[in-house]
Amino acid sequence: MPVQDTSRIRVGDYVSREGSVISFINITRVEVSDGGQYECRAINEYGVDAFSSIVHVRGPPSIRPIRNRTAVAGDFLIIHCPISGYPIHSIRWMKGNRQLPLGRRQKVFTNGTLLIQGLDGMEDEGKYRCQVESDEGIKASVDVFLKVLGEFYRSMIDFAVERRSPETLTCYLYI
């Protein structure tokens, strides 16, 4: 999500004397919640380039809200756990009372990102929790709900109809 200008945060860019575009973010009165991963993305007619960096702000852990997700069975899903605070001892993803990954289809990365491949409604739908813990034992968590829609099977059938005769073509979503 783009960083917004506030009374403490200034985002902008300018052209240097050499003709380079310089982009910046200036944060005054830094707070723990300002920590996290930042990305600068350049887009033009030649393509896209990006650079990201993690900013650590010493303090207790916290997690910004994560929006609920809807995905299609068979696809993959990536959910990033947007943490702040430093130092961080651990980041965990849970589904129910079980720590992920539960199998080969799931992977939890050290930066707090959860990847689920080959989504299955019966196994994967439900409430997930990202939990973070500091070196001092201070914890924070946030919940996100995943809804998995059934796979949409696409199949076309050729058929002939009489002119002006009523015909019906029905499509099904298998859940």
Side-chain angles (χ1 to χ4, degrees):
M1 118 171 91
V3 176
Q4 302 296 320
D5 278 340
T6 68
S7 60
R8 297 183 317 100
I9 299 173
R10 170 97 166 89
V11 178
D13 55 54
Y14 64 91
V15 178
S16 71
R17 289 182 187 161
E18 295 79 29
S20 298
V21 176
I22 309 295
S23 298
F24 66 88
I25 178 169
N26 187 331
I27 304 173
T28 57
R29 297 183 315 277
V30 173
E31 300 173 358
V32 174
S33 62
D34 295 325
Q37 184 169 337
Y38 287 80
E39 179 178 270
C40 180
R41 188 176 302 158
I43 303 170
N44 64 21
E45 66 271 16
Y46 299 107
V48 177
D49 197 9
F51 172 80
S52 67
S53 183
I54 295 175
V55 174
H56 295 291
V57 179
R58 186 170 294 279
S62 66
I63 305 172
R64 288 181 279 288
I66 304 172
R67 64 178 171 79
N68 291 333
R69 301 295 174 88
T70 301
V72 176
D75 281 356
F76 69 91
L77 176 74
I78 297 173
I79 305 175
H80 180 69
C81 187
I83 65 165
S84 57
Y86 183 81
I88 298 298
H89 174 69
S90 66
I91 305 171
R92 287 191 277 270
W93 277 96
M94 308 288 288
K95 183 168 190 284
N97 295 328
R98 300 178 71 190
Q99 183 173 333
L100 301 178
L102 298 174
R104 290 182 163 167
R105 296 183 310 107
Q106 302 162 342
K107 180 159 177 63
V108 177
F109 296 90
T110 56
N111 69 353
T113 299
L114 170 65
L115 167 66
I116 305 173
Q117 298 175 327
L119 285 167
D120 179 287
M122 296 293 287
E123 290 184 33
D124 298 321
E125 186 167 286
K127 183 173 80 172
Y128 290 77
R129 174 170 286 166
C130 179
Q131 297 177 325
V132 63
E133 184 175 352
S134 71
D135 287 347
E136 294 83 29
I138 301 169
K139 298 178 182 179
S141 66
V142 69
D143 293 338
V144 58
F145 188 82
L146 171 61
K147 171 103 177 120
V148 180
L149 302 176
E151 292 183 63
F152 186 71
Y153 295 96
R154 294 176 189 95
S155 156
M156 294 303 293
I157 301 169
D158 292 333
F159 61 97
V161 294
E162 295 288 326
R163 204 158 117 187
R164 294 191 199 93
S165 67
E167 290 293 333
T168 303
L169 178 62
T170 307
C171 298
Y172 298 95
L173 175 63
Y174 296 99
I175 298 177

